[in-house]
Amino acid sequence: MKIALYAINLDRSVERWERLNTQAATFHFPLIRFPAVDGRLIAKKDRLGTDETSFVHRNGRQMMSGEYGCYRSHVAILDTILASDSDAAIVLEDDVELVPDLLARAGAILDAVPKAELVKLINHRTYGFVRRATSSLGDRIGRCLHGPQGSSACYIVTRAGAAKLRDALATMEYAHDVALERGWHTGVATFTVRHNIVHWNPHTTQSQVVTDGGYAATKIRGLKRLPTHISRAVDYIRRIVYALTMR
């Protein structure tokens, strides 16, 4: 199986790219840089493929320019993956640390769960993990009863998964990390590892996604948050069903 390796990186984030590229060269990884969309350079009126009203209802806050750029970058890279001759791709954000056995472990994961179309390789949390399989290299793969798990900093996506995601995520209604793991909505067979395969590097503390004053400044209050609470409750139930019915 041919697995490509892509890193999403802003043009102005030279130091991040140099650090990641140096690691890739050390491990002899054929890392491909994918230029990120800089959401801070795009006026709100010029944002494409967004449903701002739905975003506010589902997330309880306004959309930040940084997360718009992040979302559009991850969606745009899907076309690049589909245009390649790879069977699958690992998509990285530029604030992760590579490990020497990353490609081998990714291949073993897809062998262990042949029906998987997307597997998250890093999360902020994996509470209520339900195991589906264990790879030949020891990585446990499954789904979580609790979420969102957080982060889209590193994941494997197959060609079939990329094609489905391109359509399912065409309109932005969630931050990308939340949208990515909603397999019950996207139709993509989505899984996660129990323990992170890669980890964050020091650049993670300098977020390029949390902009416009941060979450607190964009949050809506009071009864206006009722649609958010309902949406999250429904998703929580659907997540549990999705985790318990995996095949």
Side-chain angles (χ1 to χ4, degrees):
M1 176 178 288
K2 184 175 181 181
I3 301 177
L5 185 62
Y6 294 93
I8 296 174
N9 171 254
L10 287 164
D11 290 341
R12 56 184 163 82
S13 298
V14 177
E15 184 180 345
R16 288 179 175 228
W17 167 247
E18 289 178 346
R19 179 187 179 104
L20 194 60
N21 194 39
T22 297
Q23 291 179 3
T26 299
F27 301 143
H28 305 289
F29 289 165
L31 182 64
I32 303 168
R33 179 181 178 272
F34 185 84
V37 175
D38 194 339
R40 297 195 302 183
L41 302 181
I42 301 173
K44 185 175 180 179
K45 64 180 178 61
D46 295 327
R47 291 174 183 170
L48 302 175
T50 64
D51 186 332
E52 301 268 355
T53 300
S54 290
F55 187 95
V56 172
H57 286 168
R58 297 179 189 281
N59 299 274
R61 58 180 177 78
Q62 300 292 328
M63 185 185 299
M64 292 182 286
S65 58
E67 64 187 349
Y68 169 76
C70 175
Y71 190 101
R72 293 264 60 94
S73 299
H74 279 275
V75 172
I77 202 172
L78 298 173
D79 285 324
T80 297
I81 294 170
L82 291 169
S84 74
D85 61 353
S86 300
D87 302 301
I90 298 174
V91 178
L92 301 163
E93 293 178 356
D94 60 9
D95 59 346
V96 300
E97 295 279 293
L98 296 177
V99 291
D101 57 352
L102 174 60
L103 291 176
R105 290 169 74 178
I109 286 169
L110 292 179
D111 287 341
V113 189
K115 292 184 178 180
E117 295 173 317
L118 187 146
V119 184
K120 295 187 68 184
L121 302 182
I122 190 169
N123 299 282
H124 289 300
R125 63 197 72 87
T126 50
Y127 302 141
F129 180 81
V130 181
R131 188 182 70 87
R132 171 64 178 83
T134 300
S135 78
S136 60
L137 296 180
D139 290 302
R140 299 170 65 196
I141 310 111
R143 292 176 181 158
C144 290
L145 300 171
H146 175 77
Q149 295 165 237
S151 183
S152 56
C154 185
Y155 54 91
I156 315 168
V157 61
T158 66
R159 293 184 66 84
K164 292 178 183 178
L165 280 177
R166 182 179 58 181
D167 294 334
L169 302 187
T171 301
M172 182 178 178
E173 297 179 293
Y174 294 89
H176 184 262
D177 60 332
V178 177
L180 187 69
E181 62 188 59
R182 297 179 72 246
W184 56 91
H185 171 74
T186 63
V188 178
T190 303
F191 295 85
T192 185
V193 292
R194 174 66 180 87
H195 299 290
N196 292 343
I197 288 181
V198 297
H199 299 278
W200 287 277
N201 68 34
H203 288 295
T204 304
T205 60
Q206 302 167 347
S207 177
Q208 296 176 325
V209 174
V210 181
T211 55
D212 309 330
Y215 293 114
T218 58
K219 194 173 183 179
I220 60 175
R221 311 283 177 180
L223 290 177
K224 291 182 179 180
R225 289 184 63 83
L226 183 59
T228 306
H229 295 313
I230 295 172
S231 176
R232 289 177 176 174
V234 171
D235 258 13
Y236 202 89
I237 294 170
R238 296 185 72 182
R239 180 186 299 276
I240 291 172
V241 173
Y242 191 64
L244 295 177
T245 58
M246 62 182 166
R247 299 172 182 173

